[in-house]
Amino acid sequence: MKNINELKSLLQKAQGGDKASYREFFNALYPYIETKVKHRIFNPSDISDVVQEVLISIHQSLNTYDPKYALSPWVNTICQRRIIDYIRKISRLEDSAQSEEFDVTNTIGAANINSKEEAYEVLNLISPNYREVIILTKIIGHSTAEAAKILGIKENALRTRVSRGFKELEAALKKEL
Amino acid sequence: MDDKAKFLDGLIDDLTPVKPLPKIWKRVMLFVSAQILFMIVAFYFYSDVHYQVGLLKSSGLYALQLLLFFGFVITMSTLTLLRSIPGRIKDRVLWSGGVIFILLLGSLMLGSWMNFVSMKRAHCDVEIVIFSIPALFTMLYMVKKGFFIRDFITYFTIALSSTAIPSFIMHFVCNPSAEHSLIFHILPAVATSFVFSFLVKKFSTPL
């Protein structure tokens, strides 16, 4: 990892259009951003997306960096904002998942599912990751905390999986019907 | 080539020399002076204006109120623009605008025991809302040039820094008594800011 002054001078050169310095800057910064994002986001599949969002924001905000000021607060603020955006997006997804559950219930009703066995069969239509969280929370009836503990994942990650699982299930059922 | 390398290549290919944003104080001065000039020109063509120059000369408290009002305009504009530069201010610093606002309210309260008798403009509250529209779009444009944070605080500070300018001018061209100022100059500015930020937040495209 380069020291902060080296990064600053690379960024300054990049502001002038020097692509080689820009590449060096990103290569040096990437692991730092990745570590920061990993500390806040627990769903491994989303980490690279958020890291890319942060780098795109850095790219779009190059004109806001003034070399007279420290680099770390600039990078950290951009990183923090994108992580907050991600968390907001996820919580919005969870909210919509709650209302979608009713839609899914209707779709399941239309699929004529009367027993747990039939429900398990329907759940075979979706990927195993999503299937297990839906079985644990919606069929067996564990709370989010209990299910998260069983699977060894964070509660937020579990909620996200439930939400995505329902979406996948709904899409799969619509296709089946 | 893996995804990470492809992604970085895309960003690097897209790099063009950037022009750094002008200094904050220059942008604030440009914004505030342009909006004040716009209002003066608009007043000139649109209606008779009675500037409170006499009152300014005779009352120290009135001068203080105008000074605090102007300080509030400058502070809000500065904070709004600073927030669009990553890492330059902490969100809690935004409360410094609130401190000046409280001082302004305090000076207005002090003035309520004095007799500021003056003519009022017929529709000063509506004028404040209408005159703040160009300022609102200008500030939105200026903030979008930087790092735009799509949250309620951003929209509220943009709106408040825009409505504060006509509100400040109105304190100089309308009845500056405490009651009138609070109800017809300050309340419309704050209410418009709340409504604007609430609506934009509610109807803006989700992330």
Side-chain angles (χ1 to χ4, degrees), chain A residues 17-175:
Chain A
D18 182 348
K19 292 189 178 182
S21 303
Y22 200 36
R23 181 180 296 279
E24 223 180 310
F25 172 76
F26 271 149
N27 284 333
L29 198 67
Y30 199 97
Y32 173 76
I33 303 275
E34 203 172 28
T35 313
K36 263 193 101 66
V37 171
K38 271 182 186 165
H39 278 131
R40 299 289 176 122
I41 289 167
F42 307 109
N43 192 350
S45 60
D46 290 343
I47 289 171
S48 66
D49 286 352
V50 179
V51 172
Q52 290 189 355
E53 288 290 328
V54 174
L55 295 179
I56 290 171
S57 295
I58 287 177
H59 179 70
Q60 289 170 341
S61 312
L62 277 182
N63 64 335
T64 62
Y65 180 66
D66 183 344
K68 275 200 304 192
Y69 294 89
L71 178 65
S72 320
W74 185 77
V75 170
N76 288 337
T77 306
I78 294 176
C79 195
Q80 194 188 354
R81 291 314 314 187
R82 290 295 85 101
I83 292 171
I84 291 171
D85 287 348
Y86 164 81
I87 293 168
R88 281 190 186 148
K89 197 165 105 181
I90 289 300
S91 56
R92 212 178 0 253
L93 247 171
E94 282 163 9
D95 289 346
S96 67
Q98 282 174 356
S99 56
E100 276 164 18
E101 279 182 36
F102 295 103
D103 297 342
V104 172
T105 313
N106 291 336
T107 320
I108 290 173
N112 226 354
I113 295 166
N114 298 315
S115 65
K116 273 190 181 178
E117 286 70 28
E118 283 174 358
Y120 281 120
E121 230 169 83
V122 166
L123 286 171
N124 278 332
L125 297 170
I126 62 173
S127 45
N129 258 359
Y130 298 148
R131 191 188 313 142
E132 64 186 6
V133 290
I134 293 179
I135 290 173
L136 283 172
T137 54
K138 307 297 170 191
I139 296 181
I140 298 175
H142 284 301
S143 68
T144 312
E146 287 167 346
K149 207 175 170 187
I150 292 168
L151 295 171
I153 57 172
K154 299 278 176 189
E155 282 183 48
N156 278 340
L158 183 117
R159 287 196 197 100
T160 312
R161 278 195 210 175
V162 171
S163 144
R164 289 179 180 173
F166 272 125
K167 277 192 172 166
E168 206 176 303
L169 180 63
E170 192 179 18
L173 282 173
K174 276 180 183 162
K175 214 186 269 179

Side-chain angles (χ1 to χ4, degrees), chain B residues 16 50-51 57 80 128 159 166 175 204 207:
Chain B
T16 49
H50 175 68
Y51 293 102
K57 281 181 184 162
T80 307
I128 286 174
N175 183 354
S204 62
L207 296 163

Side-chain angles (χ1 to χ4, degrees), chain B residues 8 29 73 80 83 131 133 171 204:
Chain B
L8 289 181
M29 285 305 144
V73 167
T80 307
R83 200 163 181 267
F131 281 128
I133 293 171
H171 200 63
S204 62

Side-chain angles (χ1 to χ4, degrees), chain B residues 13 15 35 48 70 106 111 126 164 184 199 201:
Chain B
D13 284 344
L15 178 71
Q35 298 313 320
D48 287 338
F70 188 64
V126 180
F184 294 99
L199 290 178
K201 185 80 188 71

